[in-house]
């Protein structure tokens, strides 16, 4: 018997709907094999916790998560609380506290999805974006002075360290090396950002020498947006800074059909701490409680969670169930142009899993 301890943090908005759906999928998976079990502990942190306690999560919250095998996270964001409080008080507190420095976002056009790039075959858009997740533009360094006065000034300083840049680039090269095309694009803006981004470019060239079998190129971030739209087949694995990858990965999800289907993993590659998996769609308060949220992004995040735990066969099974469901237009939620509900999509995935007993590797 293998039992995994999973922390669930629904957070805000539709996170409270899609994370229970993700838990149902894991439970349906476990029901098909007596040797695979999940123990869940739910943490009600987020906007409601802030209203009650003045903080998004307890001061000792990381200690409560530290012994878990993985974290399944919903979203952070509340219309009544400033965004910098919700983000820094919960999601970034976990990511930075557990040094989850590699944010990994796979993107491809799933079966049945009507993606906006009409000249793009599904095989032409199959990317993994690696986002530096611990420093850069989201380091939190800066300040404001003379607030409210005509001479008010504010700064946000992007901090890049050689250690941080080396480790994310090495992670990206290894990931590209593991994929069939062995192709990596390093995103930069060193023409304008002439210090940190020039260091980024120099380190990319140095690390690239360690991976002679990986073909890599460099692309300015603004040019990369056009390349994603006009020449998607020229891309495979992409690595970028915290801010650049944040923006590019949302564009990638939109090009694949919807932010509602996109997953992400906040990974500690050294496995010192639990890694955290989440859909990228945000809290979407406008549809909260209406049963309209697309749970596919959460289910794909569950796939990434299973892969991280080494349960590759189980991950394949869940991914196959996801693809069978997206292939059916009757099971498309509103963001995909359909009328299906969160519950209907979840039921369909769970029913498919129930029909296919899991055969785990010994």
């Amino acid at each position: 018997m293998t039992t995994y301890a999973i922390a669930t943090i629904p957070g805000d908005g539709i996170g409270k709907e899609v994370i229970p759906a993700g838990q149902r999928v894991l439970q349906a998976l476990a029901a098909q094999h007596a040797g695979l079990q999940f123990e869940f502990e739910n943490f009600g942190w987020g906007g409601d916790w802030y209203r009650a306690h003045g903080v998004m999560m307890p001061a000792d919250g990381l200690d409560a998560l530290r012994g878990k095998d993985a974290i399944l996270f919903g979203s952070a964001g509340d219309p009544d609380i400033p965004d910098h409080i919700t983000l820094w008080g919960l999601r970034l507190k976990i990511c930075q506290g557990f040094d989850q420095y590699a944010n990994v976002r796979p993107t491809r056009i799933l079966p049945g999805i009507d993606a906006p790039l009409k000249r793009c075959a599904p095989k032409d858009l199959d990317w993994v974006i690696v986002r530096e997740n611990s420093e850069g533009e989201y380091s939190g360094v800066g300040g404001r002075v003379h607030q409210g006065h005509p001479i008010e000034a504010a700064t946000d300083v992007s901090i890049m360290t050689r250690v941080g840049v080396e480790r994310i680039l090495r992670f990206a090269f290894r990931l590209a090396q593991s994929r069939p095309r062995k192709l990596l694009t390093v995103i930069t803006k060193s023409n304008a950002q002439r210090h940190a981004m020039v260091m980024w470019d120099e380190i990319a060239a140095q690390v690239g020498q360690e991976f002679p079998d990986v073909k890599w190129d460099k692309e300015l971030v603004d040019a990369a947006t056009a390349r994603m739209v006009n020449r998607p087949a020229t891309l495979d694995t992409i690595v970028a800074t915290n801010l650049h990858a944040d923006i590019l990965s949302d564009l990638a999800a939109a090009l694949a059909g919807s932010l509602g289907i996109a997953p992400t993993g906040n990974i500690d590659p050294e496995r010192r701490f639990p890694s955290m998996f989440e859909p990228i769609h945000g809290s979407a308060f406008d549809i909260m409680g209406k049963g309209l949220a697309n749970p596919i992004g959460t289910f794909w995040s569950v796939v990434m969670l299973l892969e991280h735990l080494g349960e590759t066969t189980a991950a394949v099974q869940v991914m196959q169930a996801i693809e069978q469901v997206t292939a059916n237009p009757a099971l498309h939620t509103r963001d995909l142009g359909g009328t299906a509900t969160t519950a209907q999509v979840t039921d369909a995935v769970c029913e498919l899993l129930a029909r296919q007993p899991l055969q785990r590797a010994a």
Side-chain angles (χ1 to χ4, degrees):
M1 169 75 72
T2 303
T3 302
Y4 295 105
I6 309 297
T8 55
I9 308 175
D12 303 318
I14 62 172
K16 298 176 182 179
E17 299 168 60
V18 296
I19 294 306
Q23 181 172 334
R24 276 193 59 199
V25 166
L26 283 169
Q27 290 169 328
L29 185 71
Q32 298 307 304
H33 200 287
L36 178 63
Q37 295 295 319
F38 301 97
E39 291 182 352
F40 298 95
E41 184 175 359
N42 188 67
F43 296 87
W45 304 333
D48 292 340
W49 188 273
Y50 181 87
R51 277 181 278 272
H53 303 281
V55 290
M56 293 290 289
M57 64 181 284
D60 61 353
L62 293 180
D63 292 334
L65 301 174
R66 200 176 305 274
K68 303 300 183 183
D69 293 301
I71 304 164
L72 190 60
F73 183 84
S75 60
D78 188 299
D80 298 323
I81 305 171
D83 288 342
H84 67 279
I85 291 177
T86 58
L87 181 64
W88 281 93
L90 184 57
R91 184 185 174 275
L92 288 186
K93 186 172 183 179
I94 296 170
C95 290
Q96 296 189 352
F98 285 153
D99 201 18
Q100 297 165 345
Y101 66 83
N103 179 277
V104 182
R105 297 190 173 188
T107 305
R108 59 186 174 89
I109 301 174
L110 297 177
I113 302 297
D114 184 21
L117 294 182
K118 301 310 177 187
R119 294 179 296 171
C120 174
K123 65 179 177 61
D124 293 336
L125 201 164
D126 186 356
W127 307 328
V128 178
I129 297 177
V130 176
R131 170 185 176 185
E132 200 292 313
N133 208 36
S134 66
E135 52 181 37
E137 303 89 347
Y138 296 174
S139 297
V141 177
R144 293 174 65 181
V145 295
H146 308 301
Q147 292 188 42
H149 298 285
I151 59 171
E152 181 173 359
T155 62
D156 273 297
V157 181
S158 174
I159 301 294
M160 294 190 191
T161 65
R162 175 167 285 274
V163 169
V165 175
E166 279 188 358
R167 68 182 184 175
I168 196 62
L169 288 170
R170 193 166 283 115
F171 178 92
F173 270 97
R174 287 196 187 108
L175 181 59
Q177 189 179 51
S178 72
R179 286 170 59 83
R181 297 177 66 189
K182 299 185 187 302
L183 177 65
L184 176 66
T185 298
V186 178
I187 304 299
T188 187
K189 193 58 181 170
S190 51
N191 59 340
Q193 296 174 280
R194 59 183 183 171
H195 301 297
M197 292 306 305
V198 170
M199 183 183 78
W200 169 277
D201 291 352
E202 292 171 355
I203 295 174
Q206 293 164 9
V207 173
Q209 294 177 7
E210 302 172 18
F211 300 88
D213 56 334
V214 174
K215 181 180 179 181
W216 72 280
D217 64 349
K218 185 173 68 174
E219 189 76 82
L220 295 175
V221 63
D222 43 340
T225 61
R227 182 172 166 185
M228 290 168 70
V229 173
N230 295 325
R231 297 184 293 132
T234 67
L235 296 164
D236 186 82
T237 307
I238 302 165
V239 61
T241 68
N242 215 329
L243 175 62
H244 293 164
D246 189 7
I247 296 167
L248 292 179
S249 57
D250 276 15
L251 172 60
L255 294 175
S258 170
L259 267 67
I261 63 175
T264 190
N266 302 286
I267 309 296
D268 167 27
E270 285 73 44
R271 298 176 182 266
R272 300 156 296 171
F273 309 107
S275 293
M276 182 165 70
F277 303 86
E278 59 176 317
I280 75 168
H281 51 54
S283 55
F285 262 74
D286 57 323
I287 61 170
M288 178 185 176
K290 300 179 180 180
L292 300 175
N294 190 342
I296 294 296
T298 299
F299 299 161
W300 198 345
S301 299
V302 164
V303 171
M304 297 183 71
L305 181 154
L306 291 166
E307 291 171 340
H308 185 72
L309 295 177
E311 296 291 345
T312 53
T313 303
V316 169
Q317 186 179 4
V318 176
M319 198 70 223
Q320 288 174 342
I322 290 171
E323 292 177 342
Q324 289 183 62
V325 166
T326 62
N328 182 356
L331 292 172
H332 287 184
T333 46
R334 189 176 72 173
D335 58 303
L336 295 174
T339 59
T341 65
T342 309
Q344 288 171 335
V345 176
T346 304
D347 289 344
V349 171
C350 290
E351 288 169 8
L352 286 168
L353 292 174
R355 295 180 204 158
Q356 301 173 17
L358 175 62
Q359 300 296 322
R360 294 174 72 213

